[in-house]
Amino acid sequence: MPVLSDLTVRPVDTVPWEDVRIVFGIRGDPAGCWCQFFKLSNAEWNDRPREEFSRTLREQIEAPTPAPGVLAYLGDEPVGWCAVEPRPNYSRLKRMPLVAAGGLDDLDDASVWAVTCFVVRVGFRKRGVSGALLEGAVEHARAHGARIIEAYPVDVAERPKASSADLYHGPLSLFERAGFTVAARPKSDRAVVQLRLTE
């Protein structure tokens, strides 16, 4: 498939809510998560009705804090989402063995932002949307004072049969192309990557 060239990326607090709903859809993992997994404990995740998650994301978008992500457009068509926020906003990251094994910066440092999730609509995959989303996420984080951007991608060279559901973190190659470097390799098929914006 050809790479899409007419892509733009916007902070999610500057776009209509209906565009967010279109990207997350009505079925599959995105429609059941609405990027709340990394913000909840296991008990909260298991106990809360899934239909509440869309309302929670909308409240987070409307809050007077930096938007929790960016949306990609092909022309006027919303085609993808990337979650990016200060790392302390993602309470689950503190408990994840992958992150803990990295032994990296103070997990409460709000100048470290984290990219946790990509959603690209069916029909627009493998056409450069994720790359555009990552670039937009970096610019969004930079505009709000991020010092470091961190992510937890899958190395498909080590896990060649990774499903699209497994790749919501993004593939390692995507981050390497964007200038991220491997800061830790807690598992053979997973990495912690970082992009330093300031020293």
Side-chain angles (χ1 to χ4, degrees):
M1 289 185 183
V3 172
L4 302 170
S5 59
D6 189 22
L7 287 167
T8 58
V9 178
R10 304 173 200 161
V12 72
D13 61 347
T14 67
V15 305
W17 172 248
E18 184 56 30
D19 290 355
V20 180
R21 290 178 54 83
I22 289 169
V23 170
F24 278 84
I26 58 172
R27 61 181 182 272
D29 291 336
C33 178
W34 292 86
C35 274
Q36 299 308 300
F37 179 75
F38 288 101
K39 297 182 176 186
L40 301 172
S41 67
N42 283 336
E44 291 169 325
W45 177 257
N46 292 328
D47 293 343
R48 287 182 58 186
R50 294 295 182 263
E51 56 270 16
E52 287 186 12
F53 291 166
S54 65
R55 185 172 67 244
T56 302
L57 178 60
R58 188 170 191 174
E59 290 168 357
Q60 292 162 354
I61 291 169
E62 293 173 351
T65 56
V70 294
L71 222 62
Y73 286 82
L74 178 61
D76 293 329
E77 181 77 13
V79 296
W81 153 268
C82 179
V84 58
E85 291 188 68
R87 191 174 55 189
N89 292 5
Y90 298 116
S91 59
R92 186 178 291 263
L93 289 179
K94 292 182 181 183
R95 301 184 301 276
M96 286 180 62
L98 179 76
V99 177
L104 302 171
D105 308 274
D106 172 11
L107 294 179
D108 293 316
D109 183 350
S111 72
V112 179
W113 283 47
V115 171
T116 57
C117 178
F118 291 88
V119 177
V120 177
R121 290 174 57 198
V122 173
F124 298 98
R125 295 175 182 166
K126 298 185 179 181
R127 299 173 71 187
V129 176
S130 293
L133 283 165
L134 182 55
E135 183 178 337
V138 168
E139 290 312 307
H140 177 59
R142 188 194 311 271
H144 291 282
R147 180 176 59 88
I148 296 171
I149 305 175
E150 189 171 279
Y152 319 97
V154 176
D155 186 348
V156 294
E158 294 290 326
R159 198 193 318 173
K161 295 185 179 179
S163 68
S164 59
D166 290 335
L167 291 176
Y168 73 94
H169 301 287
L172 176 58
S173 58
L174 171 71
F175 290 93
E176 290 178 327
R177 284 193 302 271
F180 286 70
T181 58
V182 174
R185 195 67 182 245
K187 297 173 66 177
S188 63
D189 62 346
R190 295 291 300 278
V192 178
V193 297
Q194 291 187 335
L195 179 66
R196 293 186 176 269
L197 302 178
T198 62
E199 291 302 324

